């Protein structure tokens, strides 16, 4: 069983049109029935180090659970009403029994989303078939700080790397610890998008 399969089995809270129709209808103008909607569960992001050598802190994930509630789902971060296909109606954090690559408890930001069945038949087939799977969050973070000393990173033009005020380079190892960018102080959540290659490997349906 791979890591993604393990993550699927952790949460007892799963998207269910019949059980969740009351939550879904908080976002609908017309009162919808379970037969009219398709629901799915997803991992929005986590506290694992991503492809940019950054990670969301546990505190950030907790704040983001409130910011992402009710936000739209798009394709490829294309900010257009035409791209809106689904909406998050539940978002929460979950501490798993797994460890991330830094040896810390793996914490997930999970969500449940719904879309209308009518007009989205091909998208639903692609989700059910595992083709549309990977997702990425669009949000505004207050700072990116050094995991070694907590000071802010800035881009160093001479080296082409990110350097903190205490001269720790993002991606380098200091005393056996990988220096990563801690994404802190969430300011806003914009959307979640289906993408081909997400920054976070574990993010998806």
């Amino acid at each position: 069983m791979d890591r993604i399969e393990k993550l699927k089995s952790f949460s007892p809270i799963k998207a269910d049109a019949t059980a969740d129709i009351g939550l879904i209808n908080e976002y609908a103008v017309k009162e919808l029935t379970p037969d009219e909607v398709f629901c799915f569960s997803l991992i929005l992001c986590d506290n694992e180090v991503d492809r940019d050598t950054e990670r969301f802190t546990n505190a950030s994930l907790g704040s983001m659970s409130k910011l992402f509630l009710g936000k739209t789902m798009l394709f490829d971060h294309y900010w257009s009403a035409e791209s809106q296909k689904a909406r998050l109606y539940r978002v929460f954090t979950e501490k798993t029994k797994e460890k991330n690559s830094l040896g810390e408890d793996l914490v997930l930001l999970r969500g449940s989303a719904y879309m209308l069945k009518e007009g989205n038949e091909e998208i639903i087939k692609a989700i059910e078939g595992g083709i549309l799977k990977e997702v990425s969050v669009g949000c505004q973070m207050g700072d990116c700080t050094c995991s070694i000393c907590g000071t802010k990173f800035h881009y160093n033009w001479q080296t082409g790397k990110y350097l903190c005020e205490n001269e720790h380079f993002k991606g380098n190892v200091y005393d056996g610890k990988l220096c990563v960018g801690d994404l802190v102080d969430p300011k806003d959540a914009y959307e979640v998008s289906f993408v081909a290659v997400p920054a976070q490997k574990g993010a998806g349906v």
Side-chain angles (χ1 to χ4, degrees):
M1 182 182 291
D2 64 19
R3 179 173 176 270
I4 300 300
E5 289 300 318
K6 288 180 180 178
L7 295 180
K8 284 181 180 179
S9 65
F10 285 149
S11 179
I13 304 176
K14 299 184 182 299
D16 182 279
T18 301
D20 298 341
I21 195 63
L23 294 175
I24 292 168
N25 275 320
E26 290 183 13
Y27 301 97
V29 176
K30 167 199 169 185
E31 185 169 343
L32 300 169
T33 67
D35 291 337
E36 294 178 288
V37 297
F38 170 74
C39 299
F40 55 99
S41 300
L42 60 156
I43 297 170
L44 305 180
C45 54
D46 54 34
N47 66 346
E48 179 59 277
V49 180
D50 64 20
R51 289 184 168 95
D52 299 317
T53 322
E54 298 173 348
R55 55 97 182 255
F56 293 107
T57 64
N58 293 351
S60 292
L61 293 175
S63 298
M64 290 163 66
S65 67
K66 301 177 181 65
L67 293 175
F68 271 102
L69 184 62
K71 292 302 190 293
T72 188
M73 289 197 67
L74 310 175
F75 285 86
D76 297 314
H77 299 298
Y78 177 53
W79 289 10
S80 167
E82 183 182 17
S83 182
Q84 289 181 286
K85 295 298 180 182
R87 190 166 298 279
L88 294 165
Y89 65 88
R90 177 168 52 221
V91 183
F92 59 98
T93 59
E94 180 180 2
K95 180 180 176 181
T96 75
K97 296 180 180 179
E98 295 286 300
K99 299 290 184 181
N100 64 19
S101 60
L102 300 176
E104 303 167 346
D105 290 330
L106 180 66
V107 178
L108 312 176
L109 184 64
R110 283 187 172 271
S112 299
Y114 78 95
M115 65 173 58
L116 299 177
K117 288 182 178 179
E118 185 176 354
N120 292 312
E121 292 83 0
E122 293 305 313
I123 295 175
I124 292 171
K125 287 180 182 179
I127 293 174
E128 291 179 328
I131 306 303
L132 278 178
K133 181 177 181 180
E134 292 79 10
V135 302
S136 174
V137 295
C139 58
Q140 178 188 4
M141 304 301 294
D143 280 308
C144 180
T145 61
C146 174
S147 63
I148 302 297
C149 66
T151 62
K152 295 181 182 181
F153 276 116
H154 64 272
Y155 187 73
N156 185 284
W157 292 99
Q158 293 178 323
T159 62
K161 295 182 178 181
Y162 283 90
L163 179 69
C164 81
E165 295 171 11
N166 290 321
E167 299 189 347
H168 297 126
F169 283 95
K170 187 172 71 171
N172 286 4
V173 176
Y174 300 92
D175 296 326
K177 294 182 178 181
L178 177 66
C179 180
V180 305
D182 283 343
L183 298 170
V184 299
D185 190 21
K187 299 295 186 182
D188 200 358
Y190 305 136
E191 43 82 15
V192 181
S193 282
F194 286 105
V195 296
V197 182
Q200 293 204 317
K201 297 178 181 180
V205 177

